[in-house]
Amino acid sequence: MLEEKSPQRTSIAQLGEFGLIDHLTKHFEINQSSTLKGIGDDAAVLDFKDKKTVVSTDLLIEGVHFDLAYMPLKHLGYKAVVANVSDICAMNATPTQITVSIAVSNRFPLEALEELFAGITLASKHYKVDVIGGDTTSSQKGLIISITALGEANAEDIVYRSGAAANDLLVVTGDIGAAYMGLQVLEREKQVFQVNPNNQPDLDNYTYLIERQLKPEARKDIKELLEKLEVKPTSMIDISDGLSSEIMHLCKQSNVGCTIYEEKLPLDPQLISVCEEFNIDSTTVAINGGEDYELLFTIALEDFDKIKANPNLTVIGHMVKESEGKHLVTRANQKIELKARGWNALAE
Ligand code: ADP
Ligand code: MG
């Protein structure tokens, strides 16, 4: 977990807009050779030479995408960067720059924004992305964060959602479902706290799950790993909304179906035991829970030998002809139709 600073409250109105921007952004360094001009002019200037540029944007609204009751601001800043970096990684590109735009109500003191930017700074250093600009304005209620990430790739290395073919293997990195269960644990603790604020939560049995929810990491390492293994995915997506809905995206855009196997889903032991405690089916969590920021990709069948020994990569099934549909084969060998039940902000 990330360390929190002591509470002190300085009004942001005192600094004024330019003072605030300067205070929050003055320490950002430029490290990418493609950044010719970062913060400080009307626009940043970039030069990607003979590489292609990939761009992705996310918008995060307090109360819709995050709850500050259990999401510390430093973690929120970190995670907001991770979500965007993950999208760039899912194109098999290298993240290089971000812009950060925020709208804040005056209920946030300067110290709160410092925490948010401490998380953004930590993530930008970790993923080696330059913060090259953004916008800072006020909101009447709550906090809004929008991050845009840029990345670079050789044209021939870029991987789209649309390249999967029947018989390709479906591969997932790391393990899945833990971020969702981390959120369930935090929500339960929030309710306990509301009933009795003196109750000190004992979260020792949940550290991995909570870490996955509050401080996820983007799989920037996978591009390099696959290059070493000499495997180029045929299609790829990151798991932000949940495995089943991401599989649906690959199937739809590639015009294929799929069969995945319950027994192959990579689950952390802590996830399994906490699902038992909460009386929730761990397969449902693995399939529908979001925010793991792992990568889901397909490879040609003949590349199986190159990846099979790698502990980071798990084959969970394969693609089939579109007419054969999308299915999950259970441990009891039942074939059930796969449905997209991922997290949907518009359905709230
Ligand atoms: P403008 O008036 O052109 O919008 P601003 O005064 O808003 O310029 O911003 C000044 C500089 O600070 C610009 O380079 C802008 O990209 C940068 N900036 C503003 N807000 C942020 C932020 N929240 N994070 C990073 N950079 C920012
Ligand atoms: Mg501005």
Side-chain angles (χ1 to χ4, degrees):
M1 293 299 123
L2 307 173
E3 231 169 82
E4 295 287 317
K5 273 210 229 128
S6 64
Q8 199 193 336
R9 294 180 71 88
T10 310
S11 152
I12 47 180
Q14 249 169 272
L15 280 135
E17 184 191 330
F18 299 126
L20 177 62
I21 293 173
D22 187 52
H23 183 83
L24 293 175
T25 65
K26 62 181 176 221
H27 59 278
F28 284 128
E29 293 170 10
I30 296 302
N31 292 304
Q32 293 283 348
S33 59
S34 52
T35 309
L36 302 187
K37 172 75 193 175
I39 291 170
D41 213 309
D42 296 308
V45 183
L46 307 175
D47 181 1
F48 289 99
K49 304 228 159 62
D50 53 353
K51 303 252 176 158
K52 297 296 174 213
T53 312
V54 294
V55 184
S56 180
T57 294
D58 258 336
L59 182 60
L60 299 172
I61 312 280
E62 183 180 351
V64 179
H65 302 96
F66 58 88
D67 182 341
L68 291 176
Y70 43 72
M71 187 56 145
L73 279 156
K74 192 169 179 182
H75 289 81
L76 179 65
Y78 194 93
K79 187 169 171 175
V81 175
V82 163
N84 280 272
V85 164
S86 177
D87 281 321
I88 302 297
C89 296
M91 300 302 289
N92 204 32
T94 302
T96 46
Q97 289 90 10
I98 57 170
T99 65
V100 178
S101 297
I102 55 167
V104 268
S105 75
N106 55 19
R107 93 176 142 89
F108 288 87
L110 176 66
E111 288 74 18
L113 297 183
E114 284 174 344
E115 281 294 296
L116 179 73
F117 273 72
I120 291 169
T121 303
L122 200 63
S124 63
K125 284 196 177 132
H126 181 76
Y127 292 102
K128 300 192 171 61
V129 291
D130 294 344
V131 180
I132 55 159
D135 204 15
T136 305
T137 189
S138 59
S139 91
Q140 294 200 327
K141 205 168 152 263
L143 173 65
I144 299 169
I145 307 169
S146 177
I147 295 187
T148 295
L150 295 101
E152 60 181 28
N154 295 319
E156 65 274 20
D157 292 337
I158 295 176
V159 176
Y160 296 91
R161 295 178 179 182
S162 55
N167 297 322
D168 282 358
L169 299 175
L170 191 57
V171 183
V172 62
T173 64
D175 59 81
I176 50 175
Y180 176 85
M181 272 323 279
L183 184 62
Q184 302 313 304
V185 171
L186 291 169
E187 278 182 346
R188 183 177 72 179
E189 293 313 319
K190 180 184 164 186
Q191 276 160 15
V192 170
F193 183 79
Q194 278 166 347
V195 176
N196 181 3
N198 295 323
N199 209 330
Q200 280 293 322
D202 177 7
L203 298 174
D204 283 358
N205 293 332
Y206 311 104
T207 47
Y208 179 66
L209 305 184
I210 292 172
E211 177 109 22
R212 292 285 279 175
Q213 169 59 222
L214 293 184
K215 194 171 173 284
E217 302 289 356
R219 298 308 302 256
K220 196 188 169 189
D221 55 318
I222 297 298
K223 180 175 191 286
E224 206 176 298
L225 172 68
L226 292 175
E227 269 162 17
K228 235 189 309 177
L229 298 172
E230 296 180 6
V231 176
K232 187 191 167 190
T234 51
S235 71
M236 186 151 64
I237 190 167
D238 70 323
I239 306 179
S240 50
D241 295 339
L243 181 68
S244 68
S245 81
E246 314 304 0
I247 291 177
M248 298 285 171
H249 287 305
L250 292 186
C251 286
K252 184 159 186 229
Q253 300 217 19
S254 299
N255 300 310
V256 292
C258 71
T259 304
I260 66 166
Y261 297 87
E262 182 180 22
E263 62 180 6
K264 308 263 190 204
L265 297 173
L267 309 182
D268 187 84
Q270 191 170 90
L271 176 77
I272 295 170
S273 66
V274 174
C275 280
E276 273 169 23
E277 182 193 329
F278 277 65
N279 209 5
I280 301 179
D281 177 44
S282 57
T283 301
T284 308
V285 168
I287 287 185
N288 297 318
E291 298 194 296
D292 291 310
Y293 299 106
E294 293 294 340
L295 294 173
L296 173 74
F297 59 88
T298 53
I299 60 167
L301 185 56
E302 55 264 31
D303 283 336
F304 175 63
D305 282 344
K306 297 183 194 164
I307 66 139
K308 69 178 179 197
N310 197 288
N312 285 292
L313 308 175
T314 308
V315 177
I316 60 165
H318 59 272
M319 307 319 245
V320 298
K321 276 193 283 187
E322 192 169 30
S323 58
E324 291 175 38
K326 300 177 274 285
H327 295 97
L328 169 75
V329 177
T330 67
R331 282 198 193 83
N333 214 18
Q334 257 186 322
K335 207 170 179 180
I336 57 174
E337 203 188 322
L338 201 61
K339 295 215 168 74
R341 298 254 316 282
W343 189 81
N344 180 356
L346 300 178
E348 296 289 291

